[in-house]
Amino acid sequence: MTSKKTIFSGIKPSGDLTIGNYIGAISQWVTMQDEYNCIFSVVDYHAITVKQNPTDLRRRILDITKIYLASGINSKKSIIFQQSAVPAHTELAWVLNCCGAYMADLKKMTQFKDKAGDKQDSVSVGLFDYPVLMAADIILYDTQIVPVGDDQKQHVELARDIAKRFNNQYGPVFTIPEAMVKKEGARIMSLNDPSKKMAKSDENPAGAIALLDEPEIARKKIMKAVTDSGSEIIYDQKNKPALANLLTIHSSLSGESIKSLEKKFTGKGYGDFKKELAEVVAVFLIDFQKKFNKISDVDAKKILEKGRKQATKIAEEKMGKVRGVVGVR
Ligand code: AMP
Ligand code: TRP
């Protein structure tokens, strides 16, 4: 073992990944690979907490793997694997269900409340239990840091609580993890409605730009994005939330600071700014998709298999300890 800290993160294959996933999560992971032991998962058992078409799910698992690689996750530096290929995740989730997770915690989870809405009694138990599986993902690997978008902070907090409770009962088995959220770009909002997160499951595709969208379609989506009243290009989260979101997208993809964008567009209007942003997004997507298309399914599967072996080794060792302290096999 090296003295580097361990990070773990994952994305569920439940829809087409957006530039929100890239800016809020994946791009942050890429920069962490030299400094940390990195483990990145395609969390397919999280995806089935809502109904999935099996053929689409299988396709998306490979596509997310390729998206990780095209974004710059390097399988020589980082472990990339599919959650369901390492059964210790679901096994530990069961143990944590019994020894660490409380009903009251899960009932408080914002994501569950949002997703279940007024149907809390007819959604699957899996949707309710989702954060416990996520806690298992994280603590199996003695993860210290979990780089995620803002919306996942609450789940990481819960993973901390669960790990602490387990340790109190059985001794120091788990490392207590911490969330790491980017300052800028932690929450990219919908292009239609700046009060809603840009999400891969958005019913209205105009609000989200998928990483695999045709660049010309993405360009049109930016040109049609809602803007605020007024015409000045200034970053004002409170009074101009739609523009603040577009500025964040520009800055995250182009690398130009928001300050310098404000300066560049002094005296110009929303139309000029959007035209440039549309170009930035199109150029980004063309380059990204070129890299994505170079990776074959066979290559993606090979990388997942290598990751499965690496992850299994770590996870099984930890599960051995867990089984021991709990008193099962
Ligand atoms: P999900 O799409 O919910 O599976 O999220 C996968 C990762 O991407 C998590 O770390 C999220 O916090 C992050 N993420 C998802 N949507 C956004 C968004 N609109 N802005 C920033 N981060 C996001
Ligand atoms: N719940 C996360 C999301 O929706 C995905 C996820 C599952 C995850 N397991 C994880 C993220 C472990 C970080 C660490 O985005």
Side-chain angles (χ1 to χ4, degrees):
M1 267 315 259
T2 57
S3 57
K4 286 180 184 175
K5 287 189 174 173
T6 298
I7 70 169
F8 183 102
S9 201
I11 298 184
K12 54 183 183 300
S14 57
D16 297 329
L17 260 61
T18 71
I19 57 169
N21 294 119
Y22 176 82
I23 296 171
I26 309 172
S27 68
Q28 189 186 7
W29 306 349
V30 173
T31 62
M32 300 175 88
Q33 293 183 98
D34 291 318
E35 218 180 310
Y36 298 90
N37 285 320
C38 296
I39 309 176
F40 301 118
S41 186
V42 180
V43 287
D44 48 355
Y45 272 142
H46 277 105
I48 65 163
T49 52
V50 296
K51 199 163 184 206
Q52 300 292 336
N53 169 309
T55 311
D56 291 347
L57 181 59
R58 252 189 292 277
R59 176 74 257 146
R60 283 203 212 100
I61 291 165
L62 289 183
D63 281 352
I64 295 195
T65 308
K66 293 184 191 179
I67 285 173
Y68 286 177
L69 297 167
S71 303
I73 306 286
N74 180 340
S75 64
K76 291 201 177 79
K77 296 181 186 171
S78 302
I79 299 178
I80 303 170
F81 77 104
Q82 181 180 352
Q83 182 191 39
S84 66
V86 181
H89 288 248
T90 37
E91 187 180 354
L92 180 59
W94 178 256
V95 174
L96 299 178
N97 274 333
C98 302
C99 321
Y102 292 159
M103 295 288 290
D105 297 328
L106 296 178
K107 281 187 191 156
K108 274 189 236 148
M109 294 295 117
T110 314
Q111 184 172 306
F112 173 72
K113 288 194 276 188
D114 286 351
K115 289 210 171 161
D118 54 11
K119 295 197 201 70
Q120 287 206 5
D121 288 337
S122 56
V123 296
S124 73
V125 176
L127 188 69
F128 183 64
D129 199 34
Y130 177 112
V132 180
L133 179 58
M134 177 162 164
D137 296 340
I138 296 169
I139 67 180
L140 255 182
Y141 299 92
D142 280 330
T143 303
Q144 281 142 303
I145 296 170
V146 188
V148 281
D150 188 50
D151 62 320
Q152 294 300 315
K153 247 166 66 182
Q154 195 186 28
H155 287 158
V156 180
E157 287 296 317
L158 179 65
R160 281 172 71 84
D161 292 343
I162 292 178
K164 282 185 199 161
R165 275 193 213 126
F166 187 96
N167 286 355
N168 282 339
Q169 198 176 341
Y170 295 105
V173 175
F174 295 118
T175 300
I176 310 300
E178 225 175 286
M180 182 191 263
V181 178
K182 261 173 106 172
K183 273 200 209 80
E184 207 175 86
R187 193 179 280 253
I188 299 296
M189 308 314 279
S190 159
L191 300 176
N192 288 332
D193 177 356
S195 69
K196 264 179 46 196
K197 184 181 99 156
M198 182 185 283
K200 45 178 146 62
S201 47
D202 209 329
E203 324 78 59
N204 185 344
I209 293 181
L211 286 166
L212 301 180
D213 266 351
E214 291 281 342
E216 279 320 305
I217 291 181
R219 205 190 280 272
K220 288 193 184 115
K221 288 183 185 176
I222 294 285
M223 294 313 292
K224 283 196 192 134
V226 298
T227 40
D228 319 273
S229 52
S231 62
E232 260 182 305
I233 306 298
I234 42 165
Y235 185 91
D236 181 345
Q237 179 63 52
K238 193 158 165 265
N239 299 309
K240 290 177 174 246
L243 180 64
N245 187 43
L246 297 179
L247 279 163
T248 304
I249 295 174
H250 190 313
S251 171
S252 304
L253 297 181
S254 67
E256 275 182 68
S257 72
I258 289 182
K259 278 267 155 306
S260 107
L261 289 173
E262 284 175 338
K263 217 166 174 190
K264 184 157 130 193
F265 286 96
T266 311
K268 296 190 177 151
Y270 291 153
D272 297 309
F273 172 70
K274 278 179 157 182
K275 223 186 258 163
E276 182 173 302
L277 175 60
E279 182 63 18
V280 165
V281 169
V283 167
F284 167 79
L285 290 182
I286 290 167
D287 179 58
F288 181 86
Q289 291 170 12
K290 214 189 266 166
K291 292 181 197 149
F292 179 95
N293 289 327
K294 276 201 192 128
I295 308 162
S296 68
D297 283 1
V298 174
D299 289 342
K301 284 182 188 162
K302 271 190 201 149
I303 282 168
L304 289 178
E305 177 52 19
K306 177 178 164 205
R308 182 191 67 77
K309 288 192 186 126
Q310 294 169 302
T312 299
K313 207 163 155 240
I314 309 170
E316 274 305 313
E317 197 182 317
K318 184 60 83 184
M319 245 355 262
K321 283 196 187 127
V322 172
R323 292 178 201 121
V325 297
V326 170
V328 293
R329 75 172 160 109

